[in-house]
Amino acid sequence: MNSDRIRDNLLSVHDRIAVAARRVGRRPESVSLVAVTKKWPVELIRPLIEAGARDLGENYPQELWRKVEALADAPGPLRWHLIGHLQGNKARRTLPLVRAIHAVDSLKLLRTLDELAAEFSDPPVVCLQVNTSGEEAKHGWSDDAILADAEAIAACQRIRVVGLMTMAAWGTDAESARPSFVRLRAVRDALAIRSGLALPELSMGMSNDFETAVEEGATLVRVGSALLEGVDA
Ligand SMILES: *Cc1c(COP(=O)(O)O)cnc(C)c1O
């Protein structure tokens, strides 16, 4: 049964996170799993929620809007995360639906969100995306550029910037992803000093490399395909 399989997969990912955390002396509770449900039909998300998943990640704003509505009756409370690129013109509708926006990839978007945040009593928190792999196709600030923007970032005080996010290069295995994660942590440390922001969150690690990310300090891992293993779609 798909629902059994999804439950087993979820437990297994939680176990692997815990083992990786303990390996480096971290508490497993210091890492949150965001279950990435992009492209999943709602019928497969329901058993995931029934198995205990509460933090759900979607890539595309329109797909997120649709699923939030379709799952409004699901046991919760659910915390939705937008983990993909957000266009400024989709921000107003997205803001009240999500707990966190992971991939704020420009000062322009951050400023848009900062203005919009004034309209809501409990706006989401955001992470800023850093392109640690140097791949041109990836969004986000370079290491140098984000440090240069430290003051401008700190000036956005209505939206709460809580950390940084990255994606390792495509096609890398867990070990070759490590330098990206190490770099994100270093950029976070440097940006925290320059901006005066605490920046406790590091959103990094996907199905192929989340254990490495946990070893390097991830507080949010975004895992999708590992939860669908063996499931008939
Ligand atoms: C799809 C996606 C994930 C999850 O990737 P999997 O390899 O399926 O675990 C995580 N983060 C982002 C930004 C994604 O687009």
Side-chain angles (χ1 to χ4, degrees), residues 7 24 26 48-49 94 221-222:
R7 177 179 300 272
V24 293
R26 300 184 61 201
L48 183 71
I49 295 168
T94 302
V221 293
R222 310 176 309 267

Side-chain angles (χ1 to χ4, degrees), residues 184-200:
L184 191 70
R185 195 182 59 215
V187 175
R188 185 274 305 274
D189 293 349
L191 183 63
I193 291 169
R194 278 219 200 168
S195 67
L197 297 167
L199 307 178

Side-chain angles (χ1 to χ4, degrees), residues 130-135 142-144 164 166 177-190 202 204 216:
V130 179
N131 182 350
T132 52
S133 71
E135 281 179 18
S142 70
D143 309 13
D144 293 343
L164 301 184
T166 200
R178 193 179 298 275
S180 274
F181 301 149
V182 170
R183 197 167 213 204
L184 191 70
R185 195 182 59 215
V187 175
R188 185 274 305 274
D189 293 349
L202 289 175
M204 59 191 194
E216 297 302 340

